[in-house]
Amino acid sequence: AFELETLLRPDRPPSSTIAVNKHAQFLPHVDSGAGAGQGISLILGLGDYTGGELVVEGEVCDIRYRSLEFNGWAQRHWTLPFEGERFS
């Protein structure tokens, strides 16, 4: 997973923690905790699914096979409904 991060964002400082979510549909929230010292989240959607866009501060972002960086500790974000097998 850390190698994928390097391929997607070679200029990004390496993460100390990675979470893999399966079929997760999150309600509006901001992340809690200190993010293990990291301020910017990196997310990528994988799988055979439709829908499931990430909404960040009201902006709909298609993350299916597209990476997105945002500040999950400061920016409110959530997942739109989806069908199929979705990993993020």
Side-chain angles (χ1 to χ4, degrees), residues 22-84:
K22 180 179 180 182
H23 297 191
Q25 184 175 342
F26 293 103
L27 297 173
H29 70 283
V30 293
D31 295 339
S32 61
Q38 196 155 326
I40 302 298
S41 300
L42 175 66
I43 190 167
L44 171 72
L46 300 171
D48 184 16
Y49 67 93
T50 57
E53 293 86 354
L54 181 71
V55 182
V56 180
E57 292 290 330
E59 180 182 345
V60 177
C61 305
D62 181 4
I63 62 164
R64 187 168 183 262
Y65 294 96
R66 295 181 185 142
S67 62
L68 174 71
E69 288 184 311
F70 68 101
N71 188 332
W73 290 270
Q75 294 178 290
R76 193 167 166 235
H77 56 284
W78 62 95
T79 314
L80 293 180
F82 62 91
E83 291 185 15

